[in-house]
Short mmCIF file of all heavy atoms in Angstrom, two decimals:
data_model
loop_
_atom_site.label_atom_id
_atom_site.label_comp_id
_atom_site.label_asym_id
_atom_site.label_seq_id
_atom_site.Cartn_x
_atom_site.Cartn_y
_atom_site.Cartn_z
N GLU C 165 132.04 92.23 105.30
CA GLU C 165 131.96 93.68 105.58
C GLU C 165 132.83 94.51 104.66
O GLU C 165 132.43 95.55 104.16
CB GLU C 165 132.43 93.91 107.05
CG GLU C 165 131.98 95.19 107.62
CD GLU C 165 132.34 95.38 109.09
OE1 GLU C 165 132.17 94.41 109.82
OE2 GLU C 165 132.78 96.47 109.45
N TRP C 166 134.01 93.98 104.33
CA TRP C 166 134.94 94.69 103.42
C TRP C 166 134.26 94.81 102.04
O TRP C 166 134.31 95.85 101.41
CB TRP C 166 136.29 93.95 103.33
CG TRP C 166 137.30 94.79 102.61
CD1 TRP C 166 138.11 95.74 103.14
CD2 TRP C 166 137.61 94.73 101.18
NE1 TRP C 166 138.93 96.31 102.14
CE2 TRP C 166 138.62 95.71 100.97
CE3 TRP C 166 137.13 93.99 100.16
CZ2 TRP C 166 139.14 95.92 99.71
CZ3 TRP C 166 137.67 94.21 98.89
CH2 TRP C 166 138.68 95.13 98.67
N ILE C 167 133.66 93.72 101.61
CA ILE C 167 133.05 93.71 100.31
C ILE C 167 131.95 94.79 100.25
O ILE C 167 131.86 95.58 99.31
CB ILE C 167 132.45 92.32 99.96
CG1 ILE C 167 133.54 91.35 99.66
CG2 ILE C 167 131.48 92.41 98.79
CD1 ILE C 167 133.08 89.91 99.49
N ILE C 168 131.12 94.83 101.30
CA ILE C 168 129.98 95.74 101.35
C ILE C 168 130.47 97.21 101.44
O ILE C 168 129.90 98.09 100.82
CB ILE C 168 129.02 95.39 102.49
CG1 ILE C 168 128.43 94.03 102.24
CG2 ILE C 168 127.95 96.40 102.64
CD1 ILE C 168 128.02 93.32 103.49
N ASP C 169 131.56 97.39 102.17
CA ASP C 169 132.03 98.76 102.38
C ASP C 169 132.93 99.32 101.24
O ASP C 169 133.13 100.53 101.14
CB ASP C 169 132.88 98.81 103.68
CG ASP C 169 132.00 98.99 104.93
OD1 ASP C 169 130.87 99.44 104.72
OD2 ASP C 169 132.45 98.59 106.01
N HIS C 170 133.47 98.44 100.41
CA HIS C 170 134.36 98.93 99.37
C HIS C 170 133.87 98.65 97.91
O HIS C 170 133.28 99.54 97.32
CB HIS C 170 135.81 98.45 99.63
CG HIS C 170 136.35 99.01 100.88
ND1 HIS C 170 136.26 98.37 102.08
CD2 HIS C 170 136.98 100.19 101.10
CE1 HIS C 170 136.79 99.13 103.01
NE2 HIS C 170 137.26 100.23 102.44
N PRO C 171 134.06 97.45 97.39
CA PRO C 171 133.69 97.27 95.97
C PRO C 171 132.16 97.48 95.74
O PRO C 171 131.79 98.09 94.73
CB PRO C 171 134.10 95.80 95.58
CG PRO C 171 134.44 95.16 96.88
CD PRO C 171 134.74 96.23 97.86
N SER C 172 131.36 97.03 96.70
CA SER C 172 129.89 97.16 96.50
C SER C 172 129.54 98.66 96.55
O SER C 172 128.75 99.15 95.75
CB SER C 172 129.17 96.36 97.58
OG SER C 172 127.82 96.69 97.58
N VAL C 173 130.09 99.41 97.51
CA VAL C 173 129.84 100.82 97.62
C VAL C 173 130.33 101.52 96.37
O VAL C 173 129.63 102.40 95.85
CB VAL C 173 130.48 101.45 98.92
CG1 VAL C 173 130.57 102.97 98.79
CG2 VAL C 173 129.73 101.06 100.12
N ALA C 174 131.51 101.15 95.90
CA ALA C 174 132.06 101.77 94.70
C ALA C 174 131.11 101.68 93.49
O ALA C 174 130.81 102.65 92.84
CB ALA C 174 133.40 101.20 94.34
N ALA C 175 130.57 100.43 93.29
CA ALA C 175 129.67 100.24 92.19
C ALA C 175 128.38 101.02 92.39
O ALA C 175 127.89 101.70 91.44
CB ALA C 175 129.32 98.75 92.07
N LYS C 176 127.83 101.00 93.62
CA LYS C 176 126.61 101.77 93.86
C LYS C 176 126.79 103.23 93.70
O LYS C 176 125.94 103.96 93.23
CB LYS C 176 126.10 101.40 95.30
CG LYS C 176 124.81 102.06 95.68
CD LYS C 176 123.61 101.71 94.79
CE LYS C 176 122.42 102.53 95.13
NZ LYS C 176 121.29 102.30 94.22
N ARG C 177 128.04 103.69 94.08
CA ARG C 177 128.36 105.11 93.94
C ARG C 177 128.37 105.49 92.43
O ARG C 177 127.82 106.54 92.03
CB ARG C 177 129.68 105.42 94.52
CG ARG C 177 129.60 106.55 95.48
CD ARG C 177 130.85 106.70 96.26
NE ARG C 177 130.46 106.84 97.62
CZ ARG C 177 131.27 106.79 98.67
NH1 ARG C 177 132.56 106.54 98.45
NH2 ARG C 177 130.83 106.98 99.87
N GLY C 178 128.94 104.59 91.62
CA GLY C 178 128.91 104.85 90.19
C GLY C 178 127.49 104.96 89.65
O GLY C 178 127.13 105.88 88.93
N ILE C 179 126.64 104.04 90.14
CA ILE C 179 125.21 104.06 89.76
C ILE C 179 124.57 105.43 90.26
O ILE C 179 123.88 106.12 89.49
CB ILE C 179 124.43 102.90 90.34
CG1 ILE C 179 125.01 101.58 89.77
CG2 ILE C 179 122.98 102.98 90.03
CD1 ILE C 179 124.46 100.31 90.38
N LEU C 180 124.83 105.75 91.53
CA LEU C 180 124.21 106.96 92.08
C LEU C 180 124.62 108.18 91.37
O LEU C 180 123.76 109.04 91.09
CB LEU C 180 124.60 107.12 93.57
CG LEU C 180 123.86 106.30 94.61
CD1 LEU C 180 124.51 106.48 95.96
CD2 LEU C 180 122.44 106.72 94.68
N ILE C 181 125.94 108.33 91.09
CA ILE C 181 126.41 109.54 90.43
C ILE C 181 125.78 109.62 89.02
O ILE C 181 125.34 110.67 88.55
CB ILE C 181 127.95 109.59 90.39
CG1 ILE C 181 128.51 109.74 91.81
CG2 ILE C 181 128.46 110.73 89.51
CD1 ILE C 181 129.99 109.52 91.94
N GLY C 182 125.78 108.45 88.37
CA GLY C 182 125.16 108.34 87.04
C GLY C 182 123.70 108.83 87.07
O GLY C 182 123.24 109.65 86.28
#
Side-chain angles (χ1 to χ4, degrees):
Chain C
E165 201 175 318
W166 190 86
I167 289 173
I168 296 153
D169 278 337
H170 295 92
S172 170
V173 163
K176 181 63 187 174
R177 233 171 226 166
I179 298 172
L180 278 174
I181 295 170

